[in-house]
Amino acid sequence: MQRINEDAILNFETRYRAQFINSITGFKSLGLVGSRSHEGNTNLAIFSSFTHLGSNPALLACIFRPDSVERHTLSNILQTGFYTFNHIHENIYQQAHQTSARYAREISEFDAVGLTPEYKNGFWAPFCQESFLQVGLELKEKIDITINGTIMVIGQVKEVYIPDNTLHPDGYVDVEKAQTLCCSGLDSYHKTKRLHRLSYAKTDKEVTFLT
Amino acid sequence: MQRINEDAILNFETRYRAQFINSITGFKSLGLVGSRSHEGNTNLAIFSSFTHLGSNPALLACIFRPDSVERHTLSNILQTGFYTFNHIHENIYQQAHQTSARYAREISEFDAVGLTPEYKNGFWAPFCQESFLQVGLELKEKIDITINGTIMVIGQVKEVYIPDNTLHPDGYVDVEKAQTLCCSGLDSYHKTKRLHRLSYAKTDKEVTFLT
């Protein structure tokens, strides 16, 4: 094994360090956040920081870096209170990645990268039509993380659209069957291959494979 | 597509809802958190909420549910300030899952599931010896998330151990080559297959595959 300690990390060149530290959490959730300003300008931005915060109420959290290209998205969310999270599959991951380029505020990344805003059931923010799994969220809380100036945005799940035949009898949504991708580092995209689902762990018995 | 709205989610049975909401973020980072109390009692707990918070300083965040089995881990971290994050591969994922069983405080999950605490370079908290990628962290901040009583713990990266030949020339660590797994929902474990690494996105050019 190769050891890299704190001093070595401090001495890394900025972009090298960003690649390195972004890699060491392992694989990351991947999605496109859709938003729309009061004036109707849309934004679409790729995120790898969506995390389950709780199921009752159903809350997802994500992290914004204020100096990044996601700032138009954050501004739309704070202004209107609504946004969408759209999973990414193999046929759209290159367009999804391209949304991270620094487009001007008046440019919609939907147009710039060739993806389609979709409005349905009265939800303010646009879903990504090409996405196979879509979540509509309402802003509940913004937490300023003072240690490094990042911002955690917490949203409540209002709408979920999933492909037919991906919902298991116990509530699990088969995101592999939905062709959802994950990512690692800043730019590596991955498909998945399930090993197994495992039984609920109890102290007095061995885990078994769920079928 | 199947639509599931907020009312439907509210009416789900508790465990069904937990499976469902845990699924919709897509694939999740996966790791074992090692910790040790002042008295020397060790704990090992599986986590799927580790998120990159920043690279300079190098910070990772994770979420604790206060009523969960991870409470011994949280107590150790708050008491001593140190913990480890250890990636999970195919040969240890069943033991890793078993750490989520509700063991009594005096039981070390290392012993209970058959994994080995590893101490090195003076770091207080135990690494998981069987893990191929290990991170040592120092507690920097604890944020109480009042909306649902969860707790975000922010740690600074002090030590990283990675397998030989996984560090790319640009700082990317090839976590797929390191055999790191990811998970979905509460109990589904997955290997990955890289599609491509993509070039840094710029507004005036198309993304290309990195080799």
Side-chain angles (χ1 to χ4, degrees), chain A residues 129-145:
Chain A
Q129 189 172 70
E130 289 80 0
S131 175
F132 297 149
L133 196 157
Q134 306 162 326
V135 182
L137 294 144
E138 180 176 8
L139 173 67
K140 284 291 160 179
E141 193 168 337
K142 165 180 170 286
I143 296 178
D144 294 311
I145 300 175

Side-chain angles (χ1 to χ4, degrees), chain B residues 118-130:
Chain B
E118 178 182 27
Y119 298 98
K120 50 190 176 186
N121 292 308
F123 200 76
W124 174 262
F127 295 94
C128 175
Q129 190 172 69
E130 289 81 0

